[in-house]
Amino acid sequence: MDKSHTAYLKTLSFAKLASKDNLSLPNFLMLVKNKGSSVLTLQTPMLLWFERPTEEKMKLYQDSVTKGAMSTSPPAADGQHAPLSTETPMHGSLDASSRPALETLIDHLVASKRSLSSIDLVWRANELVTSARAALEECVILGARSGFLKQGIAGQAKVLRRVRDGIEDVAREGQVEFEAVLRELDAADARLQRTLDILRSTAVEPGFRPTDDEPKTLHDFVDDQGVDNLKSSIRSSIDQVQEAQKDFGYSISSFDSDLLAIEKAIVSITISSPSSSDVLESPIPSLLRSLESHAKEMAVLLQSLVRHFDLCVTAIKHTEGGGAAARSITGDLPKGMGVMDRGSSSSDDDSAPPEPITDKEREDMLDVLSKDAAEVEDVVIEIRDRLAEMEARFDPVSSHVNYLSGVHDDAIAAFRLLEEISTRLPVYVSSSREYLMRWEDEKARIESRMEDLDGLREFYEGFSKAYDGLIIEVGRRRGVQVRMEAIIQEAMVKVEQLHDEDATERETFRLDQGDFLPSDIWPGLSNPPPRYEVVPINKDVSGAPELPKKLIEQALRRAGDLSGKI
């Protein structure tokens, strides 16, 4: 008799003692322990004994034969454990002494049932594969959205850059014109200063001034207040232009900051966010294939454990007293296992007796069962290892999804930044128009003041030239006066000569004829000759002062005319 029968006979023996002494189940377990038997080994038969009537116990013992077996599977490659085989084994033989006892089969069944808890690992593997597929879809969507946003934002950024360049052109052209106006203004002021310096260096001839007057220059006759007011007005216009440039510069600087921010956001999206083709080259597809491969292998391994469990149940049901044990152990299988009873024609009828098998079939089945039972733990370990590998490989998937989610968030942030910039764009454009208007107004005002500067310069230059003309005119007048005085002096000499001759003739006539002529014949007979004197009519008008000949010559030289006579 094999060990299975021996164990069951022990069970029957202890059970008879329990029935004879009317022992309860706890006392019965204590009896087994005192007899030196394993409570764990005999626990299931003892429970079945107390649960079932005597007729059924005997029937189970008589009908306990086995059928069906699993053949040994070849080892898997790369150190992986091959799934437990469930095919009909090749005919082999086990002698009666090596047949597994019922307690051994129950141990195999319990171990097999415990291994079926690996279904949770398989469910987790399925979750990882499902999550990886969803991650791939999410990555494609995120990549497409990010790429679309990137292209749209980049296009709008180019438009903004062109607007910025146009505004910069306005500022640059305005600056060039302003600098040109300043150069013209500096040149006009320099010309005016040179003219004023000439006036400052030109001393007024003392002969033109009263004797008690202080020495003066031509600049003393210039109204500096007018020049200062004109320059102050020009400086005010320049300040207004510079203030407008400063405000416009702030606007451009703000625009530049916005452009720099949006371009940095675009660069970040370009570096981080893959295009649709890049998504296909991401690590997720290869990782997904690896996860699917592991999941399939785990499913195959779990299926082999299920079949091994079915075989254990079949073997126990074909062992004397094992049917009730099988039903007791298989009553709380993990949810979703779907284990079938290979020893009956219907999985719904657990109480139906198993189909009879030959001793040879039972021996072959037990042979495969014993070999597969030794591999159950390895299969469970491999399932755990594969799940651990899947967990490790799923981490990059999660990281990549989080990475792309962050990139998508950056794209959304860039888009929102673009919306904010678009609200400020009219302000930037209007600032350029405002700058142009202010510049044109101040430019016209500066040009008008610059014409006034040139007018002053021309007036002062005319003043300097007029002074030279005055010197020349005074010299001319002095020359005329001298000639007139010379003519008068010459005429007076002739008049005096005629006077003296007339006086002599009158005295000779008086001496010759005076004694004969009565005195009352002509009252003027004895009058002396008349005397004449040449005097200016407007005695209060001063004559031309006498100027140095060198001064007049210098004035004539400056005037470009040396033909005049002094």
Side-chain angles (χ1 to χ4, degrees), residues 85 145 148 170 231 320 333 365 414 479-480 490 513:
S85 174
R145 289 178 178 175
F148 175 78
V170 171
K231 288 185 176 181
E320 182 180 359
L333 290 177
M365 178 179 63
V480 172
E490 183 181 355
Q513 304 293 337

Side-chain angles (χ1 to χ4, degrees), residues 258 261-262 265 412-422 424:
D258 286 341
I262 195 65
I412 294 295
F415 180 75
R416 290 175 179 170
L417 176 61
L418 182 63
E419 287 183 328
E420 294 179 4
I421 295 175
S422 65
R424 293 192 289 269

Side-chain angles (χ1 to χ4, degrees), residues 67 314 317-318 341-350 352-355:
K67 68 176 181 178
T314 301
K317 286 187 175 183
H318 285 83
D341 184 2
R342 297 181 180 272
S344 63
S345 58
S346 174
S347 60
D348 297 331
D349 189 5
D350 292 337
E355 296 181 1

Side-chain angles (χ1 to χ4, degrees), residues 316-440:
I316 290 177
K317 286 187 175 183
H318 285 83
T319 302
E320 182 180 359
R327 284 191 297 272
S328 176
I329 295 175
T330 59
D332 56 347
L333 290 177
K335 184 179 179 180
M337 292 305 303
V339 179
M340 301 294 293
D341 184 2
R342 297 181 180 272
S344 63
S345 58
S346 174
S347 60
D348 297 331
D349 189 5
D350 292 337
S351 61
E355 296 181 1
I357 60 174
T358 64
D359 291 340
K360 183 63 175 177
E361 290 175 340
R362 183 174 184 277
E363 290 176 359
D364 292 341
M365 178 179 63
L366 296 178
D367 185 17
V368 173
L369 184 63
S370 298
K371 294 179 180 179
D372 287 349
E375 299 179 2
V376 169
E377 187 63 26
D378 293 337
V379 172
V380 174
I381 291 174
E382 182 174 350
I383 291 176
R384 291 175 180 171
D385 292 343
R386 285 183 179 273
L387 180 61
E389 179 68 18
M390 291 179 69
E391 294 283 2
R393 295 196 177 189
F394 186 77
D395 289 340
V397 174
S398 300
S399 299
H400 192 67
V401 172
N402 294 335
Y403 179 71
L404 291 183
S405 297
V407 172
H408 183 259
D409 293 341
D410 291 341
I412 294 295
F415 180 75
R416 290 175 179 170
L417 176 61
L418 182 63
E419 287 183 328
E420 294 179 4
I421 295 175
S422 65
T423 60
R424 293 192 289 269
L425 183 60
V427 178
Y428 299 144
V429 176
S430 63
S431 66
S432 64
R433 289 197 297 266
E434 181 181 357
Y435 168 73
L436 280 177
M437 293 174 60
R438 294 176 64 180
W439 161 237
E440 292 297 333

Side-chain angles (χ1 to χ4, degrees), residues 192 449-461:
L192 177 61
R449 299 296 182 271
M450 192 161 50
E451 291 177 358
D452 293 342
L453 282 179
D454 287 335
L456 280 177
R457 176 186 57 79
E458 292 175 357
F459 177 79
Y460 293 148
E461 287 179 352

